Amino acid sequence: MNSNYQVKSIVIAGGGTAGWMAAAKLSQHFSKTDIRITVVESSVIGTVGVGEATIPTLRRFYQSLGMDDMEVMRKTNATVKLGIEFKDWYKPHTSFIHPFGLFGHEANGIRFHHYWLKLQQAGDVTELEKYSLGIAMARANKFTFPAERPSSPLSVFDWALHFDAALFAKLMREHALAKGVTHIDAKITSVNLHIDTGFIESLILDDEQVVAADLFIDCTGFNGLLISDALKTPYIDWSKWLLCDRAMAVQSELVGEPAIRTISKAHSSGWQWKIPLQHRQGNGHVYASNFISDEQAEATLLQHIDGKVLHAPRKFQFTAGRRAQAWNKNCIAIGLAAGFLEPLESTSIALIETGIEKICGSFPYAFFNQEKIDHFNQVTATEWERIRDFIILHYKLNQRDDSEFWRYCRAMVLPDSLQQKITAYNEQGDLLHYPWEIFHPDSWLAIYNGFNLYPKVYNQNVDRLNTDYLKQSLAAMRTSIADAVVDLPSHQEFINQHCKMSMA
């Protein structure tokens, strides 16, 4: 018999970005019930707090809470992000951008890249990025709001934020507390389990409080105090594909105008991020400790920072992978407690969002059962694996030959799910897209193209169009995009006009 477990109280263990985002959204979701929500967070325990780049889904998250883009940007010292520029990933001295937007526009049910491929084979060497408004704006460091009703697919683009993650967590905290969430400032010292079911019954705090609940959300970061320490949930290790296992993060003074894109620069044994905020710049080096020492990694990081460093680099270790069960018994892991994927495509906060979304979707009514748990775990595993594959793709397709690290990545055997995608694109130009996948076909196209992976054939139905007509059409697309960018305000001008950081 599939027992139903009633939920009258929820305890969120841990605050930070994950904990307070969960509290804010769940307080909204359960606003018409008498479910009590409590966050247990110790002010003496720090958070990892290095994730400052997001993807557009974050904007939908806080908008669902009634927050405005400009309000959030002002309160989090945010800048605009139009995508990620990958420097030196394909080979040294190369660069490409993964934008939040489309390339060209499809016609007759055929994706745009097939038309572009036909002209490539006919001798037209125009780069694919010339057909992306998002990339054109990113290269020019310009921005304006997307059109509410785009006149054509060429006008479609999306955007995200670079922000101060601590300030965003504070914003979520204020929102949650205003909606009636209870906050207990204390450290969790132990976890009580039911002797028969193994469910979590309560948390013991360092001030001797006992906090009981029906459902627990584990937002305790890498420690996984509930999901791992208490419930012994296994961890699935993906380090055979994702070799990077350490990172250093440091803030620096901002030099010049903030870039409108995240910079990801490849190094000999990993990569370095550069994330501009309104008041400073975030920097970090993600690397594989089997290929470089901590001392060498720190020297590499500092060597490639162009402003004054504001503090000593903070170091942390991780193992790429996920919990075998994100939901185990009456405990759901969110954020770093659920797993870790390096921040190459800014997915950490996105996975917090989707985890919270799936919690809300699991509770149209205030109870759960094993069927809900199983579905949650299946969907979560699939979603994490899709992102894992997308990140592995960046390493696999490299053509660098300057270090053992990159040669290993190029030679590694891939997960079947990723190999199927690459084969489908390479052999027929197909951009496979599966359910529960954050990155859409144009994102995959951006990476394939950035690494110079081209299909062997294009869709033969493209040949129904006259080649000269096709050339004229694509030339008109390029002109339209180039013209659209000319008179736009600069990124800094946009910030000054709409969302200059709050001085309070």
Side-chain angles (χ1 to χ4, degrees), residues 59-95:
R59 294 180 46 244
R60 260 67 85 186
F61 179 87
Y62 62 67
Q63 287 169 359
S64 74
L65 298 174
M67 297 181 184
D68 173 77
D69 284 320
M70 298 302 102
E71 170 198 1
V72 172
M73 292 187 72
R74 281 191 295 271
K75 291 182 177 180
T76 62
N77 300 346
T79 60
V80 174
K81 175 184 174 183
L82 287 173
I84 304 173
E85 180 179 1
F86 292 93
K87 292 186 174 182
D88 305 329
W89 276 78
Y90 171 54
K91 292 180 179 179
H93 313 298
T94 61
S95 166

Side-chain angles (χ1 to χ4, degrees), residues 248-259:
M248 295 186 187
V250 65
Q251 298 167 4
S252 64
E253 292 183 348
L254 183 66
V255 176
E257 292 192 2

